[in-house]
Amino acid sequence: MGNAMTWLQASRNSDIASLQRLLETGELITAISELVHRLQRERGANNLWICSNGALFSAERHARQQEVSASLQHFYRALPPAVAQPGFSRFCNLIASALQALDGLPALREQISQREHDQAAAMSAFNQVIRTLLNLVFEAADTASYPAISRALIALFSFMQGKELAGQERAIGAAGFAARHFTPDQRSQLVALIAAQEQSFATFQEFADSATCERWQPLSQASRDIERLRRIACTGGPCDETGALHWFSLLSRRLDQMKTLEDALTATLMQRCREAIDQAHQQPMFTMVQGDSNFSLYVSGADWLHGAAALNSDGLAPQLGRSVLSLIGEQSQRLQQQTNELASMRASLDERRVIDQAKHWLMQQQGFTEEAAWQALRKSAMNQNKRVLEIAQAVLAVAKTLNT
């Protein structure tokens, strides 16, 4: 009996320790959300400045840099201690990658100021920095072991991914309008980005709670003005320099509204973590009652206790053995339910991982941009009446064959 109760207590303490780490991770994700938003703003300002040959957003570029610097300090303070922990290796490695990418920001800004990067190169560099930060959020969603928290993390990550794609749309659109024309590659990228946003936001709605989905509905469809400018951009219609500022203003307003919803998602995540920790602390296990020369042990919630003092120091009542088995059974059922729910959620994340791997291979082999690779997968899926996942799996099978 003693050993069983000891290990049940160890199980609960392990739950609490894991939840505490998730709570700390949630604080880091909150900082990442703010930092990514500021980086998206700086990326858009740089695009306008580059494509207008320095005529637009010169002062805004420096203001956005200062905002990013402030968010960086918050991010650094939110980082967990760099100490070894079981199952923490990959997360630490992703943190290292993000820090290395962030360390390159001063050099990137100087290269942009010296006109050493064109719009595409500058945007690609910012995209990579943001991607390393989003990878941290994805890793947290992939490893969380509590269904309610996993759902909140997947909803948040999917929303952040969709918002980043919307940010890339703003940046490319601003570049095209500032340059007063859109290249065929830019038009193709915009079409792919709009489609990819829809996919990310659909996943977000699948895992978000109903109240959050209701808040999203007014934002889910772009305004008429945005749709009108999208048509101009995607069809190569006539545009002038004033379109750049109008486009940037409209998309910035929409992204700021998305950020408000993103803040609500991070607040929900933190609340889920705190609720789970409180629940774990409050979950009754057993109560010790002191006697004169012996003791009695009662297991909370056991219906056999009515009218009986089951255990004292003279021996072990069989009812207590049954109660401990009941506790173990309840714990096993809870863990199995969590496992089943998590398996379903992980399937969605696994699909994303397969598609990302296929996109990466196409980018390496065909020289595609990330958006062009996604568009190629999507077009092939539509032509063959298959899911994008199936096409991605076929691409990876080909890649494996070529590599053997």
Side-chain angles (χ1 to χ4, degrees):
M1 184 280 301
N3 286 339
M5 297 302 292
T6 297
W7 286 102
L8 281 172
Q9 184 67 51
S11 173
R12 185 170 71 170
N13 290 344
S14 296
D15 282 347
I16 293 171
S18 296
L19 288 166
Q20 288 286 1
R21 195 166 84 179
L22 274 173
L23 183 61
E24 294 171 1
T25 301
E27 293 170 353
L28 176 61
I29 289 171
T30 301
I32 290 172
S33 170
E34 187 64 30
L35 178 55
V36 165
H37 189 64
R38 302 299 183 185
L39 284 166
Q40 288 167 341
R41 284 183 167 184
E42 183 179 354
R43 176 181 60 195
N46 276 305
N47 271 21
L48 275 174
W49 184 80
I50 292 171
C51 292
S52 67
N53 293 315
L56 297 174
F57 269 48
S58 180
E60 285 82 353
R61 281 184 65 230
H62 298 291
R64 300 294 89 83
Q65 290 174 19
Q66 294 303 314
E67 291 174 354
V68 169
S69 296
S71 294
L72 271 173
Q73 297 309 310
H74 183 200
F75 171 75
Y76 293 143
R77 288 193 298 269
L79 287 172
V83 295
Q85 298 181 47
F88 203 42
S89 174
R90 179 171 169 79
F91 198 66
C92 290
N93 188 62
L94 291 173
I95 290 175
S97 297
L99 290 174
Q100 184 179 29
L102 291 167
D103 286 344
L105 280 175
L108 172 60
R109 290 164 177 158
E110 180 62 23
Q111 289 166 342
I112 293 173
S113 295
Q114 297 300 321
R115 311 294 179 96
E116 296 176 14
H117 282 325
D118 61 11
Q119 176 271 326
M123 182 169 172
S124 177
F126 271 100
N127 290 356
Q128 180 57 31
V129 175
I130 292 172
R131 189 177 296 115
T132 64
L133 294 167
L134 291 179
N135 283 341
L136 286 168
V137 185
F138 178 77
E139 179 66 13
D142 195 27
T143 56
S145 54
Y146 296 86
I149 296 173
S150 288
R151 292 188 70 86
L153 273 165
I154 295 172
L156 174 59
F157 169 76
S158 300
F159 191 84
M160 291 180 72
Q161 179 75 11
K163 177 172 168 285
E164 162 57 8
L165 294 168
Q168 291 183 27
E169 181 191 5
R170 175 181 64 179
I172 293 175
F177 281 115
R180 303 187 184 186
H181 76 279
F182 286 85
T183 66
D185 186 54
Q186 286 175 326
R187 293 200 297 270
S188 176
Q189 288 181 57
L190 285 171
V191 171
L193 285 168
I194 293 168
Q197 285 176 58
E198 293 176 0
Q199 183 189 42
S200 292
F201 290 134
T203 303
F204 145 71
Q205 291 182 86
E206 181 182 350
F207 289 96
D209 58 71
S210 57
T212 303
C213 289
E214 287 179 11
R215 288 185 62 182
W216 166 244
Q217 287 309 309
L219 287 174
S220 60
Q221 299 298 320
S223 68
R224 288 183 179 180
D225 283 344
I226 292 176
E227 290 295 349
R228 179 178 64 82
L229 292 174
R230 276 178 170 176
R231 286 194 294 273
I232 292 173
C234 293
T235 60
C239 55
D240 55 39
E241 190 176 273
T242 59
L245 294 177
H246 188 42
W247 168 269
F248 195 83
S249 175
L250 289 171
L251 270 290
S252 294
R253 188 180 305 123
R254 186 166 188 249
L255 283 165
D256 287 343
Q257 291 171 332
M258 287 183 185
K259 181 61 170 64
T260 300
L261 184 53
E262 188 175 294
D263 289 343
L265 287 167
T266 57
T268 297
L269 169 63
M270 301 298 284
Q271 183 62 24
R272 294 285 184 272
C273 289
R274 294 189 185 98
E275 287 173 354
I277 291 172
D278 289 343
Q279 185 178 1
H281 278 298
Q282 294 170 10
Q283 183 181 354
M285 187 67 73
F286 54 86
T287 305
M288 299 291 293
V289 181
Q290 299 295 332
D292 293 334
S293 58
N294 55 25
F295 66 88
S296 295
L297 177 63
Y298 296 93
V299 180
S300 294
D303 55 10
W304 54 267
L305 285 176
H306 180 68
L311 174 68
N312 60 38
S313 54
D314 294 330
L316 181 74
Q319 293 95 331
L320 180 65
R322 288 200 297 274
S323 177
V324 172
L325 288 174
S326 176
L327 280 173
I328 295 171
E330 290 173 6
Q331 175 79 336
S332 297
Q333 280 186 334
R334 182 177 67 84
L335 293 174
Q336 185 59 51
Q337 182 181 8
Q338 286 185 352
T339 299
N340 294 340
E341 291 182 42
L342 288 169
S344 176
M345 285 183 270
R346 295 267 164 78
S348 294
L349 297 178
D350 288 342
E351 286 189 15
R352 177 189 180 276
R353 187 179 290 107
V354 169
I355 292 170
D356 279 354
Q357 288 173 349
K359 286 195 300 184
H360 182 69
W361 187 80
L362 288 172
M363 290 163 67
Q364 285 185 323
Q365 297 297 315
Q366 304 295 329
F368 287 162
T369 63
E370 183 175 5
E371 292 79 12
W374 160 250
Q375 187 68 8
L377 291 173
R378 184 169 176 269
K379 184 177 180 181
S380 181
M382 292 175 64
N383 290 342
Q384 300 181 47
N385 196 26
K386 293 183 177 180
R387 297 173 61 202
V388 173
L389 175 63
E390 294 176 281
I391 300 300
Q393 290 170 332
V395 168
L396 293 180
V398 171
K400 184 177 180 181
T401 302
L402 294 176
N403 290 333
T404 55

